[in-house]
Structures are given as C-alpha cells and as structure tokens.
C-alpha cells in the first residue's frame, strides 16, 4: 500500500471511531448524569475535530509542490498539529470548569451505572487499537499531524480508563463525589498533553531547529567522512516542515579537490543522513578550506 494511501486510511479510521465513541459517551452521560462521562464526550468531540483536521492536513500535505507552493504543502501538517494541541487544551479547561461547578454546587448521578462502565470500557479498547495504528503510520511516514492525532487518542485512553475506574469505585462504594474529582484529575493530564503538542508544532511553524539528537546525528555523519577527505563543516541550519526535515550546511574540502570528488562526497553524506533521520531535504554548499579562496 502506498504510504499516502495508508496515511489517508489512518486519518479516516480515526474520524469514524471518534464519531461512534462521541455518540455512545453522550448517551451514557445523559442517562447516568455523570459529569466525568459527559466530560469524556467533550474530550472525544475535540478528538473528532482533530481527526477531521488531520484528514484535511494529510490530503493537502500529500499534494506535490506547485507554482504557489514551490516548497510543497508540508506546513499543513504542522498547522493541523498546532490546532489539535489547542483543542486539547480547550477541552481540558472546559472539563475542569464543569467538574468544579459540580463540586461546589452539587449534582446527582446514578451510582448503578452499567451502561457508563460498558461504554468507557469500549472506548478504552477502541482508542488503543486506533492510536496504535496511527502511531505506526506516523512513524512510517513521518507525519506530524497523524502523530498529534495519535497523541490525542492516547490521552483519551488514559482519561477513559480513569473515568472507568472511577465509575467502578462509585458502583462499589456509592461515593458519587468521586465523579467530578476524577474528571479534574483526568483534565490535568489532558492539559499537559495539549501544551506539549502545541509547543512542538509551534516550534515547527516558527522554523525552530531540529532536536539536539538529530543535529548530533548530522554532525556524526559528517565527521565520519573526515578521514576520507572532508575537512569540516559550518553554517549548519535545520528545520522541520510537515513530514520532511530540511537541512543545509557548508562542507569544507581541500582546495585542490576536484568538483566531481566534492560532489561525490556530498551525495554520500546526504544518503547517510537520510538513513539516520528519514525523509530529508538536504542542501550542501561545497567550499575550499582556503582563506585566500573564501575571502570576500
């Protein structure tokens, strides 16, 4: 299966599963009066909106470069991931607000809640399977938006699991105040994930450098060619655009080395870096290591 087709399939699967889970959670929450289940429905709604954004981003980012977008459409994935992070933060704040109202002003719910327990158990299993597939495709393709969507669903797994445990405890003990308390704890976990995703994708949108470990890999690859004739490098720049990593730097060669030889080294280094970092767009400027030659 072509990787772009697999990305679209993963995004479509996420949309479908989220739509089903939202309906089930809303029904269970309304029937039982549980704020934690209704909060989970809101969380799943943010997952659904994020999945729609992901599908849109994957469709657009897979389009080839054109006259108006000579560098491609990879930024759509970064933009999608940033909006998804914001949706997660919004969902967390809303859950904390609603649960706080229940704590201060009181509420009523059914302690005997078999429907809610069943729905939350289903949500845990369904989101685990879908997120596992999203992470698999994201790693395979380097898709930022699929990874963000997978993170989104992973928070839903833990939050659904927390609510599930709370519902079971309420059924066993009859202490209904546990419901909003668990909702707030889950929301704080969700909030942390949302901030993390927003921070990472914002760094990409602002052309932030690749992570330190990636830069170290690049430097190690270049240094491995020093015994073969490469003298050194300078002006290393990097950034991430959607699934691709853009890298540029200057390689220093002996002043008497032929252009053909320099070009061969550049090709070999590009290939090695791509093996280490995956999808890359690499631009190398070859320069003689000679003060007289490089003097401006």
């Amino acid at each position: 299966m072509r990787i772009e087709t697999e990305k679209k399939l993963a995004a479509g699967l996420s949309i479908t599963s989220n739509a089903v889970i939202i309906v089930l959670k809303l029904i269970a929450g309304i029937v039982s009066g549980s704020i934690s289940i209704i909060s989970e429905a809101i969380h799943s709604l943010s997952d659904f909106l994020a999945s729609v954004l992901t599908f849109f981003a994957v469709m657009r980012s897979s389009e080839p470069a054109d006259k108006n977008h000579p560098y491609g459409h990879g930024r759509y994935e970064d933009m999608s991931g940033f909006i998804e992070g914001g949706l997660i933060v919004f969902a967390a704040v809303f859950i904390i607000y609603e649960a706080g109202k229940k704590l201060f002003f009181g509420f009523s719910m059914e302690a005997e809640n078999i429907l809610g327990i069943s729905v939350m158990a289903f949500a845990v299993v369904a989101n685990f399977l879908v997120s596992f597939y999203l992470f698999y495709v994201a790693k395979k393709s380097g898709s930022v938006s699929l990874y963000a969507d997978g993170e989104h669903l992973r928070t839903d797994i833990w939050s659904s699991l927390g609510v599930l445990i709370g519902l079971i405890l309420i059924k066993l003990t009859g202490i209904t105040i546990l419901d909003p308390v668990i909702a707030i704890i889950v929301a704080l976990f969700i909030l942390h994930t949302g901030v993390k995703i927003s921070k990472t994708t914002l760094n990409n949108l602002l052309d932030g450098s690749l992570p330190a470990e990636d830069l170290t890999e690049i430097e190690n690859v270049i240094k491995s060619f020093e015994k073969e004739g490469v003298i050194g490098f300078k002006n290393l720049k990097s950034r991430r655009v959607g699934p691709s990593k853009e890298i540029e730097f200057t390689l220093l060669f002996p002043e008497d080395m032929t252009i053909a030889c320099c070009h061969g080294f550049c090709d070999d280094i590009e290939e090695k870096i791509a093996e280490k970092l995956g999808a890359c767009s690499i631009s190398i400027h070859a320069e003689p290591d000679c003060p007289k030659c490089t003097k401006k």
Side-chain angles (χ1 to χ4, degrees), residues 5 36 39 53 116 130 133 137 184 220:
T5 302
S36 60
S39 297
L53 279 172
V130 175
Y133 183 60
V137 178
I184 291 174
N220 289 340

Side-chain angles (χ1 to χ4, degrees), residues 15 17 27 42 54 80 87 98 137 141 147 168 181 187 190 204 215 231 239 244 254-255 259:
I15 290 174
S17 68
I27 293 173
I42 295 168
T54 298
S80 170
L87 286 172
E98 288 297 322
V137 178
S141 63
Y147 177 80
I168 293 173
V181 171
I190 295 170
N204 293 344
L215 297 178
I231 293 178
R239 63 179 183 173
S244 177
E255 57 185 288
I259 293 176

Side-chain angles (χ1 to χ4, degrees), residues 98 172 183 268 270 280:
E98 288 297 322
L172 294 175
D268 291 342
E270 287 180 13
C280 294

Side-chain angles (χ1 to χ4, degrees), residues 191-235:
L191 182 64
H192 172 74
T193 300
V195 171
K196 178 182 175 183
I197 292 175
S198 295
K199 184 179 178 181
T200 299
T201 50
L202 181 61
N203 179 69
N204 293 344
L205 287 170
L206 297 178
D207 286 335
S209 181
L210 293 177
E213 54 267 27
D214 286 351
L215 297 178
T216 299
E217 289 283 9
I218 295 169
E219 293 177 10
N220 289 340
V221 168
I222 297 173
K223 289 177 181 178
S224 69
F225 283 83
E226 289 182 353
K227 294 181 180 179
E228 301 180 38
V230 176
I231 293 178
F233 71 97
K234 63 181 182 178
N235 301 331

Side-chain angles (χ1 to χ4, degrees), residues 72-105:
H73 299 79
R75 286 291 187 209
Y76 278 98
E77 294 213 17
D78 295 311
M79 179 186 68
S80 170
F82 180 69
I83 295 174
E84 285 184 40
L87 286 172
I88 295 175
V89 171
F90 174 78
V93 172
F94 185 80
I95 291 170
I96 292 172
Y97 172 73
E98 288 297 322
K101 285 200 305 182
K102 298 292 183 182
L103 278 175
F104 285 104
F105 300 109

Side-chain angles (χ1 to χ4, degrees), residues 18-30:
N18 276 316
V20 172
I21 289 172
I22 288 169
V23 173
L24 292 176
K25 286 181 178 178
L26 280 174
I27 293 173
I30 292 171

